[in-house]
Amino acid sequence: MSEAPEVRQAGAEQPAVTPVRVVIGLCLFAPFVAMLWVSSYAKIEPTLIGIPFFYWYQMLWVVISTALTMTAYQLWQRDQRARAAVSSGSAKGGADA
């Protein structure tokens, strides 16, 4: 029983909240804020090729949301690969010691 603490490395667990995960959260949260804050875009002017601001602003956010979701997904995949590499590396290091 006394061997378990020795085998386990101090600080081997990765933090749940990292800067990358905060950026992922912001990428996914921004479209909600933009669309739920209706008073910021509930107007007609400025028009874009005759389309009132209310409509083209929402359509613009469809494109922006897609880009932000793709960015969040790519960051998540990279984060998961990095975590897997660290945990497999620490498992190998712990087995060698």
Side-chain angles (χ1 to χ4, degrees):
M1 284 192 189
S2 62
E3 292 180 25
E6 293 174 14
V7 173
R8 185 175 179 175
Q9 296 176 352
E13 293 183 23
Q14 299 171 0
V17 178
T18 61
V20 172
R21 290 186 174 195
V22 170
V23 170
I24 291 168
L26 290 174
C27 285
L28 297 175
F29 187 65
F32 288 103
V33 172
M35 290 291 94
L36 291 176
W37 187 19
V38 178
S39 63
S40 71
Y41 63 91
K43 52 190 170 186
I44 296 175
E45 296 295 327
T47 59
L48 180 68
I49 58 172
I51 302 171
F53 181 74
F54 181 78
Y55 294 113
W56 69 258
Y57 178 82
Q58 292 178 63
M59 290 301 108
L60 178 65
W61 269 100
V62 169
V63 175
I64 294 171
S65 297
T66 302
L68 288 173
T69 303
M70 287 174 30
T71 302
Y73 178 73
Q74 293 297 322
L75 288 172
W76 180 259
Q77 292 296 318
R78 189 173 74 181
D79 183 59
Q80 292 302 305
R81 284 192 300 268
R83 284 176 174 269
V86 168
S87 63
S88 69
S90 66
K92 289 178 185 176
D96 293 338

